């Protein structure tokens, strides 16, 4: 093998050293990324299944790494969580998303919303950012319900009291809340009633086989009916085909996002598409 010569004399250390070095580099690179302007948010349209108009955007983070190229969240968010940098990154994402929501309320629709993802680690750690966010929203003149915080079901399973308190803080701030990846967690149904949320996002795994699996269709229909009874709106994720879109519309689903409409887009392209969707 090509490493044979080197490894013959020290079996383990090179790899361990490389791994440690890689983590150190990643940490240093990540610390610079915000100030160097290497983060970009892509925006994926969330489309009304009733009108076809783009009503909201989900903010999806990307990192233009100086040597490694374009990185998706899976390649750096777990690391940023493990060393706490996720709090500063999340602060940047929140402010950038709010600034963009404010611009789009002027150019697309006065009630336009931007959805911001929040990992379980962030959810536990970023409470001291809240005052700063409220001040920022006030400075922008952005109504607070313009930001929808997306949390996964797994967050709701980490000690109910603390989670409830945090969610109540969001509500008190006037932000909206969406339950992401719905259906993949444990005891989903009780969460809908127990926690004060605005949107349920049906996970892609229930959408991808909709056209061939009657069980998945029945599940989607049941989630939609139940959510509506509880006064929540439903977003279907990962919609890739016209057939899936049609079945979800027939099932009464409110919104959908996925490649059948658009991939996550740079802000400029997003705005163009959203404006176009309203011309019909
Ligand atoms: P998510 O919140 O479940 O986001 C949906 C993911 O599905 C996105 O991947 C999106 O690009 C992808 N997607 C959208 N439509 C389709 C489709 O039709 N088919 C398929 N196969 N995939 C589709 P992405 O952008 O790589 O993000 C992955 C995850 O990273 C997100 O999952 C979210 O949990 C996390 N994430 C993204 N941005 C942030 C952020 O700013 N902060 C935090 N904490 N997490 C983020
Ligand atoms: Ca999400
Ligand atoms: Ca999701
Ligand atoms: Ca997901």
């Amino acid at each position: 093998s090509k490493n044979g010569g080197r490894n013959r004399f020290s079996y383990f250390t090179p790899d361990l050293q490389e791994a440690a070095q890689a983590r150190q580099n990643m940490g240093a690179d990540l610390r610079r990324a915000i100030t160097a302007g290497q983060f970009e948010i892509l925006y994926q349209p969330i489309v009304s299944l009733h009108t076809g108009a783009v009503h909201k955007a989900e903010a999806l983070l990307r990192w233009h790494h100086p040597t490694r190229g374009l990185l998706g969240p899976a390649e750096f968010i777990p690391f940023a969580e493990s060393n706490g940098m996720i709090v500063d990154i999340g602060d940047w994402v929140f402010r950038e998303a709010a600034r963009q929501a404010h611009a789009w309320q002027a150019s697309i629709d006065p009630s336009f919303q931007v959805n911001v993802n929040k990992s379980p680690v962030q959810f536990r750690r970023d409470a001291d950012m809240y005052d700063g966010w409220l001040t920022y929203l006030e400075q922008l003149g952005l109504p607070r319900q313009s930001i929808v915080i997306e949390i996964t079901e797994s967050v709701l399973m980490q000690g109910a009291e603390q989670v409830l308190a945090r969610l109540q803080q969001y509500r008190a701030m006037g932000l909206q809340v969406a339950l992401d990846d719905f259906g993949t967690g444990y005891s989903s149904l009780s969460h809908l009633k127990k926690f004060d949320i605005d949107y349920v996002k049906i996970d892609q795994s229930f959408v991808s086989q909709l056209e061939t699996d009657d069980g998945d269709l029945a599940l989607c229909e049941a989630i939609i009916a139940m959510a509506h009874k509880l006064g929540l709106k439903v977003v279907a994720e990962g919609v890739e085909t016209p057939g899936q879109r049609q079945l979800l519309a027939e099932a009464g689903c409110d919104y959908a996002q996925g490649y059948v409409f658009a991939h996550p887009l740079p802000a400029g392209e997003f705005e163009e598409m959203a404006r176009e969707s309203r011309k019909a």
Side-chain angles (χ1 to χ4, degrees):
S1 83
K2 74 173 198 254
N3 291 326
R6 191 187 60 187
N7 287 343
R8 187 171 308 150
F9 299 106
S10 51
Y11 289 97
F12 303 111
T13 24
D15 280 355
L16 287 178
Q17 272 172 0
E18 271 166 39
Q21 189 63 52
R23 287 182 69 82
Q24 255 179 29
N25 292 346
M26 179 80 144
D29 290 353
L30 207 49
R31 259 185 294 276
R32 270 193 298 268
I34 292 182
T35 45
Q38 292 166 359
F39 285 125
E40 179 186 15
I41 297 179
L42 297 184
Y43 294 91
Q44 188 173 37
I46 299 176
V47 177
S48 162
L49 285 173
H50 306 299
T51 67
V54 176
H55 277 247
K56 318 169 197 300
E58 178 172 2
L60 295 162
L61 188 59
R62 299 290 182 269
W63 180 13
H64 296 274
H65 190 278
T67 56
R68 295 171 62 200
L70 185 64
L71 303 183
E75 292 168 278
F76 61 91
I77 284 194
F79 180 78
E81 286 176 338
S82 73
N83 62 16
M85 278 184 233
I86 189 68
V87 176
D88 284 336
I89 295 172
D91 184 50
W92 182 85
V93 169
F94 184 94
R95 287 165 189 266
E96 181 61 16
R99 190 192 59 72
Q100 194 59 80
H102 182 250
W104 285 338
Q105 289 193 348
S107 65
I108 299 173
D109 184 293
S111 58
F112 197 86
Q113 290 179 310
V114 174
N115 290 26
V116 173
N117 287 287
K118 203 180 257 268
S119 73
V121 174
Q122 269 175 286
F123 188 80
R124 285 199 303 274
R125 287 202 195 178
D126 65 2
D128 33 332
M129 296 289 174
Y130 296 173
D131 285 345
W133 291 350
L134 289 185
T135 306
Y136 188 65
L137 297 182
E138 234 157 72
Q139 283 167 356
L140 283 173
L142 184 73
R144 295 173 178 186
Q145 71 269 20
S146 314
I147 300 294
V148 181
I149 302 289
E150 296 198 0
I151 56 167
T152 55
E153 273 193 294
S154 60
V155 163
L156 302 186
M157 284 147 47
Q158 321 172 324
E161 265 171 48
Q162 214 191 347
V163 171
L164 260 178
R166 277 274 193 283
L167 280 177
Q168 269 154 8
Q169 277 179 299
Y170 288 159
R171 311 300 308 189
M173 288 165 72
L175 308 179
Q176 296 209 321
V177 179
L179 201 48
D180 203 357
D181 302 344
F182 186 75
T184 58
Y186 174 70
S187 87
S188 311
L189 304 189
S190 62
H191 290 156
L192 286 188
K193 187 171 157 256
K194 186 163 160 199
F195 297 99
D196 192 8
I197 53 176
D198 302 281
Y199 296 94
V200 169
K201 298 190 78 174
I202 301 180
D203 190 71
Q204 185 178 347
S205 55
F206 298 101
V207 171
S208 55
Q209 310 298 321
L210 263 188
E211 291 166 282
T212 51
D213 189 326
D214 291 345
D216 283 351
L217 181 58
L219 262 171
C220 286
E221 287 170 342
I223 292 171
I224 292 162
M226 184 180 53
H228 284 169
K229 282 223 168 99
L230 293 167
L232 312 175
K233 297 284 189 198
V234 183
V235 182
E237 294 193 280
V239 182
E240 295 185 346
T241 71
Q244 292 163 1
R245 173 188 185 167
Q246 180 67 28
L247 288 170
L248 287 160
E250 284 166 9
C253 188
D254 304 284
Y255 301 97
Q257 69 185 102
Y259 298 162
V260 73
F261 305 103
H263 282 249
L265 301 169
E269 279 174 55
F270 177 93
E271 180 174 330
E272 218 170 285
M273 183 193 162
R275 288 167 63 100
E276 201 59 40
S277 77
R278 280 150 197 279
K279 281 186 185 155

